[in-house]
Amino acid sequence: MRTPGTAIAAFALLSALVFGCASQQASAPAARVSPNSAAAAEPFDPGGIGAIEARTPRGDASYVTLASVHIVAKQRGDMAEVEATHAFTNDSDAVLEGTFRFPMPDGALLTGLAMMIDGKLMEGELVEREKARKVFEAVVDSMQDPALLEWEHGSVFKMRVFPINPREPKVVTIRYLMPLRRSQDKLEFVQAARAVAGDTSLPDLRIDFEGKTVFNERNVEAGRVLAFPAKPTSPVLREKRSDGAYSVVRISPDWSHIPLSARPAPQNWFVVVDTSRSALEEQPRQLEALAVVLRALPARARFQVLTSDLETRPSPQGLVAANSASVEEALTFVKAVSPDGASDIGRALHIVSGLAHDVPDSAVLYLGDCEPTWGLTTAKDLLALENRELPRIPVYAMMFGSSIDDDLAAELAEQSGGRRARIQRRQDLDAFAQTLGTGIPVLRGIEVRGAADVQVLTSGPLSIEQGRDLLLLVKAPAGRDPLIGLSVKAKVGGATLDLMPHAAAEDSGGVARRFGAALVHQLEKTDRPGPDIVAASLKYGVMSKLTSFLVLESEEAYARYAIERKNAQAADAPRVTGANLEDTRGTAISADRVQPGDPEIYVDAERDALSVTVEFPSGEIKAASFDSEVRGGLGAWMVRFLVAREAPEGDYDALAHIQHQDGSIETKKVHYTVDNTAPELRVTMTRSARQLGMLEVTVTEPDAGRRSDLKRVELMTPNGRVYQLTAVRWGTFRVFIPAGELRGGKLRVVGFDQALNHTVKELELP
């Protein structure tokens, strides 16, 4: 039963793979579909659209209807800062429970969550996992509606959504940083329209990129992949914060100047096919890939197939020459095994070591998700086993599925001299298969050095495979340039090659968060104590295996459970009241104290800009200051200002003048609204049909509909207790109050709009 109080909400992210999905032509001029353009680039999964799988009271599984999706993306160097808002509806007459899943893009960093609870969109908070569980249990004990987001495995998270009330909207907003796709030396923001719910079309999709609506269509086909051009960016990005100076450096060697020769391809291949339960969904793709790679082996090559789950089963044929008959026999052997059980990769490597012991010129080719769930499950133990039992035998990994361990695959390949690839499209498969016969250049033995007080993290092993880049994530003390003293070199043919890009640093948001994500990942890999991982996760606002996202239904609820707020409710578009603001500085409006505050305008500009000023239509110029706490911790330049009481209502433009570090001045428009009209309020009270002994108090702004800008409503009962009402739809707010509190005296109701105009109504109670 739904009762008043604190409700916790959380969500699940499931990176879904659609192998070989068709792309169709987008009609928006700025968007283009790219079924083949990324063939020469690294495989990149752009994610997709989320879905809620719900269960009816009878236990039937169904999907709650997705009404619309609104994607808002801004470029941050070679990344995009994305806000994806999903609006769902429950078209049944039953209260449903469901699970929200969202296919995250490759390389994305989850940075925020908001969810609608009782009609009010509440911002989430990152919390240490054990504390989150205790709050969860406390809510269960008090018969509330609990939900909790936690890491499950790989890139999979789960969020229980309850209640999904009939005929009411359920809105979920997630925020993340994702890489821009590199295609033919250009950057693109890519969005896929596919959903984990299947191949159904998307009713309404809108995409805003860099402040412009670049796509807005209904009934969008699930196979569509949309790409929008982004501006070029420097290989060196930087961000300055009070806790340090951060940089991202992209190392991209000029292969035309590197005299490397690929070593000959191995002649004896031991092919391990993952047949654990997690491979069930990907089995058709793995079988297709197995056939392709076996037929692509070099002339005179031999192979033996092994299936791997809890046990490892070598095919009885032993090493055989690669021909049509042996390939068909190998496929039949694998098809006879029904995927089941866990994945013991260590066992598979051990069995291969015995088979390859007396077979020179051997290699291991692995097909699966590279996620060990049985036996040796840590990278440290598996790398030690590989080094001990498979010396000089390269490991090649082909990864499939929505949840993969790319880090383990990269380390196994790097240590042994092999390669790895994530297979998402047929062209990825063909490209990888071709290299098995010819080899591919890899630049190894890269040395990275920095100053003693500079911390340098990498995106992977210190090697670069042709067609890939290496990222360095650097942190220096505040006020220092992280790149001073940083060197990146490799020895090639006795000569030392300088790999450090000689390019001017570009200011960009999200750099510190990317460093934080790399730090969390390094701490997890090196088995550092849990408190260290949690501290890094919370400091940089990136999720880890030991932290969870929570959404509570009110700011008071966060305080009740002693959860520090870093992501308080986001400010709405700036509006200005006609009230005299010169001698009031507070911002609180409540049923017992009404005090409007100074309105604000935010200006997007780099943190280290020399100055930011805003010129108003009256000619007045105000200086802005940088506030690192606003916009969910992303920060922005902010200016507070006043307007005359007699200023006409309407939308206004002001000019923001930004003086950059290089002395150049940029001018851009900023917008604000003058609103002097207080909202009209209608108050009704009825006995609650759902909650015995409670009165339902509803406050509406009549005839406003979606034009309503009623933002907050509070009431004070005769005994002095103040309640905050929750929004249930546009211009409608509701609260349940014990009937005994609404007897005798006055009920005081206060409602205010986006501009802090307010209306007070007092009702005599019987």
Side-chain angles (χ1 to χ4, degrees):
M1 178 183 294
R2 178 73 178 170
T3 56
T6 302
I8 304 175
F11 75 101
L13 299 176
L14 175 61
S15 294
L17 172 66
V18 178
F19 180 52
C21 65
S23 298
Q24 302 184 29
Q25 182 63 40
S27 62
R32 65 178 180 79
V33 177
S34 48
N36 300 309
S37 62
E42 278 192 53
F44 177 73
D45 186 347
I49 304 302
I52 292 181
E53 183 181 8
R55 290 201 172 273
T56 67
R58 294 185 301 177
D60 301 329
S62 62
Y63 282 95
V64 174
T65 302
L66 177 61
S68 65
V69 177
H70 186 191
I71 307 289
V72 178
K74 296 181 179 179
Q75 185 171 357
R76 296 290 183 258
D78 57 354
M79 303 279 281
E81 179 183 280
V82 183
E83 180 178 275
T85 298
H86 298 65
F88 298 92
T89 57
N90 173 9
D91 297 326
S92 73
D93 295 323
V95 176
L96 301 179
E97 175 181 354
T99 301
F100 176 72
R101 290 186 171 89
F102 181 84
M104 286 282 282
D106 279 348
L109 307 178
L110 178 64
T111 60
L113 163 69
M115 186 170 180
M116 184 172 285
I117 303 175
D118 286 342
K120 179 171 60 176
L121 195 66
M122 288 299 300
E123 293 292 330
E125 199 64 63
L126 197 58
V127 182
E128 188 271 327
R129 185 182 62 187
E130 293 305 317
K131 181 173 182 176
R133 286 179 173 176
K134 290 178 181 179
V135 174
F136 176 84
E137 292 166 1
V139 173
V140 172
D141 292 342
S142 61
M143 299 301 292
Q144 304 293 321
D145 300 327
L148 176 67
L149 175 146
E150 289 187 305
W151 175 82
E152 187 177 44
H153 66 86
S155 57
V156 179
F157 302 81
K158 287 191 176 181
M159 168 183 144
R160 177 186 168 201
V161 182
F162 181 83
I164 308 173
N165 291 320
R167 316 298 175 185
E168 292 186 6
K170 176 66 69 174
V171 178
V172 178
T173 297
I174 61 171
R175 301 183 183 91
Y176 51 93
L177 280 168
M178 64 170 284
L180 296 171
R181 186 175 71 182
R182 293 181 175 273
S183 178
Q184 300 175 349
D185 298 325
K186 296 181 180 179
L187 292 177
E188 300 172 319
F189 170 65
V190 184
Q191 176 64 50
R194 74 170 184 267
V196 294
D199 295 330
T200 57
S201 63
L202 181 57
D204 191 342
L205 174 61
R206 173 180 168 182
I207 302 175
D208 295 344
F209 182 53
E210 290 293 271
K212 297 180 180 179
T213 299
V214 293
F215 186 86
N216 191 2
E217 287 189 16
R218 294 182 178 275
N219 300 318
V220 182
E221 296 88 346
R224 253 170 125 163
V225 178
L226 307 166
F228 309 94
K231 64 183 180 181
T233 189
S234 171
V236 181
L237 305 174
R238 67 183 179 189
E239 182 180 13
K240 298 178 181 178
R241 302 201 325 180
S242 59
D243 63 331
Y246 298 86
S247 283
V248 172
V249 182
R250 181 176 295 274
I251 308 298
S252 304
D254 182 354
W255 290 92
S256 64
H257 293 83
I258 300 177
L260 291 181
S261 58
R263 66 183 181 185
Q267 291 298 307
N268 298 295
W269 294 84
F270 294 92
V271 184
V272 178
V273 181
D274 181 7
T275 51
S276 66
R277 184 179 298 274
S278 64
L280 179 61
E281 183 179 353
E282 298 302 322
Q283 187 183 41
R285 297 170 179 84
Q286 289 185 187
L287 287 170
E288 178 187 5
L290 179 61
V292 170
V293 295
L294 292 182
R295 294 185 178 114
L297 290 178
R300 297 184 299 279
R302 299 187 300 168
F303 73 87
Q304 182 176 10
V305 170
L306 304 88
T307 61
S308 172
D309 40 63
L310 282 174
E311 297 294 332
T312 299
R313 294 168 288 272
S315 63
Q317 292 79 15
L319 279 168
V320 295
N323 54 49
S324 297
S326 62
V327 170
E328 288 301 321
E329 196 171 7
L331 292 173
T332 301
F333 171 73
V334 175
K335 290 177 183 177
V337 178
S338 298
D340 198 7
S343 177
D344 192 342
I345 294 178
R347 175 71 177 167
L349 295 179
H350 174 72
I351 295 298
V352 168
S353 72
L355 296 173
H357 184 267
D358 295 323
V359 181
D361 199 16
S362 295
V364 177
L365 177 59
Y366 169 88
L367 289 77
D369 58 19
C370 210
E371 284 193 326
T373 55
W374 194 262
L376 302 179
T377 57
T378 68
K380 178 181 177 181
D381 290 339
L382 286 166
L383 289 168
L385 182 148
E386 178 192 55
N387 190 54
R388 181 176 65 252
E389 299 195 21
L390 294 168
R392 298 177 299 280
I393 296 180
V395 173
Y396 295 73
M398 300 174 62
M399 292 167 291
F400 303 81
S402 58
S403 176
I404 65 171
D405 192 337
D406 184 61
D407 294 319
L408 175 59
E411 290 179 304
L412 289 171
E414 162 70 12
Q415 178 174 273
S416 64
R419 295 181 54 239
R420 102 286 190 190
R422 182 174 183 180
I423 307 301
Q424 297 175 291
R425 306 159 302 169
R426 178 56 191 258
Q427 50 261 53
D428 303 331
L429 171 59
D430 292 339
F432 187 83
Q434 290 171 9
T435 65
L436 296 179
T438 61
I440 192 169
V442 179
L443 183 60
R444 305 184 189 276
I446 298 173
E447 294 185 354
V448 179
R449 294 183 180 180
D453 55 352
V454 170
Q455 190 173 4
V456 183
L457 306 175
T458 67
S459 60
L462 287 177
S463 65
I464 305 177
E465 182 181 300
Q466 190 174 32
R468 296 179 182 266
D469 295 333
L470 176 67
L471 293 183
L472 305 182
L473 302 107
V474 191
K475 178 187 178 183
R480 283 275 309 278
D481 184 346
L483 303 186
I484 293 179
L486 182 66
S487 68
V488 186
K489 297 180 180 180
K491 289 188 176 181
V492 180
T496 300
L497 183 66
D498 183 7
L499 300 176
M500 190 69 185
H502 300 286
E506 176 184 323
D507 291 304
S508 174
V511 176
R513 266 188 164 140
R514 293 168 70 177
F515 176 88
L519 177 60
V520 166
H521 182 64
Q522 183 190 67
L523 295 175
E524 290 174 339
K525 281 175 52 180
T526 53
D527 298 325
R528 289 286 293 274
D532 292 352
I533 298 173
V534 171
S537 174
L538 298 181
K539 175 179 179 179
Y540 291 100
V542 291
M543 194 169 179
S544 73
K545 297 176 183 179
L546 299 180
T547 50
S548 305
F549 262 111
L550 293 172
V551 178
L552 304 184
E553 69 175 14
S554 66
E555 298 301 323
E556 292 79 5
Y558 287 103
R560 184 181 310 145
Y561 287 103
I563 295 174
E564 181 184 358
R565 285 297 268 155
K566 295 181 180 178
N567 298 306
Q569 295 303 94
D572 294 288
R575 289 174 176 260
V576 184
T577 68
N580 181 0
L581 305 177
E582 292 182 338
D583 50 8
T584 59
R585 306 301 298 181
T587 58
I589 294 184
S590 69
D592 56 352
R593 178 169 176 263
V594 178
Q595 186 177 22
D598 293 345
E600 301 167 345
I601 279 182
Y602 296 123
V603 180
D604 286 325
E606 63 270 22
R607 180 191 294 260
D608 63 350
L610 297 178
S611 67
V612 176
T613 58
V614 176
E615 180 181 353
F616 293 93
S618 64
E620 180 185 12
I621 296 178
K622 299 279 290 185
S625 59
F626 193 87
D627 188 336
S628 60
E629 302 300 322
V630 300
R631 294 189 171 176
L634 295 175
W637 287 83
M638 182 183 69
V639 61
R640 289 188 173 92
F641 60 100
L642 310 176
V643 295
R645 182 183 296 274
E646 63 274 11
E649 290 188 324
D651 296 324
Y652 290 79
D653 290 333
L655 294 177
H657 304 291
I658 305 165
Q659 185 176 10
H660 300 288
Q661 282 281 343
D662 61 3
S664 63
I665 296 178
E666 176 187 3
T667 298
K668 62 172 66 175
K669 284 186 179 181
V670 291
H671 311 284
Y672 63 96
T673 300
V674 174
D675 178 6
N676 300 318
T677 304
E680 182 183 351
L681 301 181
R682 179 185 296 160
V683 183
T684 60
M685 288 185 293
T686 59
R687 291 190 176 276
S688 173
R690 293 188 291 174
Q691 301 186 37
L692 187 63
M694 306 290 283
L695 290 179
E696 181 177 327
V697 181
T698 303
V699 178
T700 60
E701 184 178 11
D703 303 321
R706 287 185 174 268
R707 291 178 289 107
S708 172
D709 68 345
L710 189 61
K711 180 179 181 180
R712 178 170 173 168
V713 179
E714 291 185 351
L715 62 79
M716 184 168 63
T717 63
N719 63 10
R721 185 173 180 182
V722 175
Y723 288 85
Q724 180 178 331
L725 283 67
T726 58
V728 295
R729 63 184 63 89
W730 290 100
T732 301
F733 291 72
R734 183 178 63 195
V735 71
F736 295 94
I737 300 176
E741 289 193 43
L742 298 179
R743 292 176 183 167
K746 290 183 178 180
L747 176 68
R748 190 167 190 259
V749 180
V750 178
F752 66 93
D753 62 16
Q754 307 282 3
L756 303 184
N757 298 303
H758 67 276
T759 298
V760 179
K761 296 198 73 170
E762 292 188 344
L763 304 177
E764 291 287 345
L765 298 173

